[in-house]
Amino acid sequence: MSEVCRSLRDAINKDILPWMQLVVDRPLNFRVTDDILMRTASKAKGRLQVLALINCVRITDDGLLRVVAQNSCISKLHVPSCTSLSPEGIITAVKFLRQTNANLNSLRINGIYGIEKQELKTLQELINPNLKSKPNQSRIFYHSKFPTLLHQETYHSIDVDVCPRCDEVRMVFDCPRLVCGKKCRGCDVCIPRCKECGVCFNGICEVEEAACVDSLCLDCWLKLPKCSFCNKPYCTEHAGLQQRLAGSEGFVCDSCHTNFIL
């Protein structure tokens, strides 16, 4: 902000609208501390509606609670992979938000260490007090693991569940292959899946390796562009790792670029 013109800086600082949805993701996520978060959130003047901290490993329970205490209108609280947060801190934050307003309807906590089944049940009851009276939720697929935070509608108010196979609290996925039904429902530790489309590897489809070392089904492997050296594709999530060649429309993977070009 210090490098933009004064008129633009003043306009943004005085207008709370741009600050009502605070999303911190790469590459700033590793730099944000409790104090920086507090100063940034204060620009919303207590009217923050969305707080999305993606893999912000330096944010602690104290920092989160300080922001929540001054912004009771938060309706979306997304803190996936914020590994310095504890289940107890998240429960405290959610309790405060539910006591001060009934708008909190979306909680993302995948990657928070040590969440037990009882703690998940507490969060589910806080977010959905009438959960038993609601219809069955929609299925969630592995290839929807990284949805656009603010624009994708979802019926899942909490992103984690109890895996029916390992009984651990993790993200639980359904298989998009209709013939599987609920047989292949489980976390990605219990049920290996295609990184691209999310189908399970149950012996029906061939498993292919991507340049990013993820696994792909044969159908997805055939559709994706390949490295000019090793003939391996990147999945869509890691396509940014492609190394473009001068004077060529193709690319090489990071490994081949290191081994054969540098």
Side-chain angles (χ1 to χ4, degrees):
M1 288 294 293
S2 61
E3 297 181 2
V4 302
C5 67
R6 181 180 299 176
S7 58
L8 176 59
R9 183 175 68 244
D10 292 343
I12 293 177
N13 281 330
K14 293 177 181 179
D15 186 2
I16 69 169
L17 190 60
W19 305 102
M20 292 173 66
Q21 296 184 346
L22 179 56
V23 181
V24 182
D25 203 346
R26 297 177 183 175
L28 299 178
N29 54 318
F30 292 109
R31 299 171 58 184
V32 175
T33 63
D34 290 345
D35 290 338
I36 293 175
L37 176 63
M38 190 64 194
R39 289 199 302 269
T40 306
S42 66
K43 296 181 182 295
K45 301 187 184 304
R47 296 173 62 182
L48 188 66
Q49 296 178 355
V50 175
L51 179 60
L53 308 174
I54 317 303
N55 197 21
C56 295
V57 297
R58 301 176 68 182
I59 300 300
T60 67
D61 290 344
D62 180 65
L64 176 64
L65 294 174
R66 283 163 56 195
V67 172
V68 166
Q70 296 189 13
N71 295 273
S72 59
C73 296
I74 293 175
S75 61
K76 290 182 173 64
L77 180 60
H78 295 182
V79 289
S81 299
C82 292
T83 51
S84 294
L85 295 178
S86 69
E88 295 79 10
I90 293 172
I91 290 175
T92 302
V94 172
K95 281 183 177 179
F96 176 83
L97 290 173
R98 292 299 296 180
Q99 289 171 356
T100 54
N101 80 89
N103 295 324
L104 182 64
N105 54 40
S106 180
L107 180 65
R108 301 289 178 262
I109 54 175
N110 180 48
I112 302 298
Y113 295 141
I115 300 178
E116 301 292 339
K117 289 191 290 184
Q118 185 57 46
E119 292 167 330
L120 175 61
K121 183 179 179 181
T122 299
L123 289 170
Q124 289 172 334
E125 291 173 348
L126 288 169
I127 297 288
N128 297 314
N130 300 318
L131 184 64
K132 292 182 179 179
S133 63
K134 291 190 176 183
N136 292 332
Q137 294 182 327
S138 62
R139 302 163 75 198
I140 182 169
F141 301 121
Y142 184 79
H143 57 286
S144 301
K145 186 176 180 180
F146 303 99
T148 302
L149 284 170
L150 305 182
H151 303 292
Q152 174 150 330
E153 295 296 330
T154 175
Y155 295 103
H156 293 264
S157 53
I158 303 180
D159 60 340
V160 295
D161 203 347
V162 178
C163 175
R165 291 180 174 250
C166 65
D167 207 37
E168 296 290 336
V169 177
R170 295 189 174 114
M171 289 194 76
V172 177
F173 304 100
D174 296 283
C175 185
R177 189 185 288 116
L178 295 178
V179 295
C180 290
K182 293 186 177 181
K183 294 184 297 182
C184 298
R185 189 170 189 271
C187 66
D188 55 356
V189 175
C190 296
I191 307 290
R193 300 184 184 278
C194 171
K195 184 70 173 181
E196 195 70 11
C197 71
V199 299
C200 63
F201 297 134
N202 60 0
I204 297 178
C205 62
E206 296 183 38
V207 182
E208 302 291 341
E209 185 178 341
C212 47
V213 199
D214 288 311
S215 297
L216 301 169
C217 68
L218 181 59
D219 287 343
C220 291
W221 188 90
L222 291 171
K223 294 175 184 177
L224 294 169
K226 312 292 190 300
C227 169
S228 299
F229 279 71
C230 67
N231 199 39
K232 291 181 180 180
Y234 276 112
C235 66
T236 301
E237 183 186 344
H238 297 117
L241 298 176
Q242 297 175 0
Q243 301 286 340
R244 293 292 172 179
L245 296 174
S248 172
E249 295 183 357
F251 73 91
V252 295
C253 67
D254 191 56
S255 177
C256 291
H257 186 264
T258 301
N259 294 331
F260 302 114
I261 297 179
L262 291 181

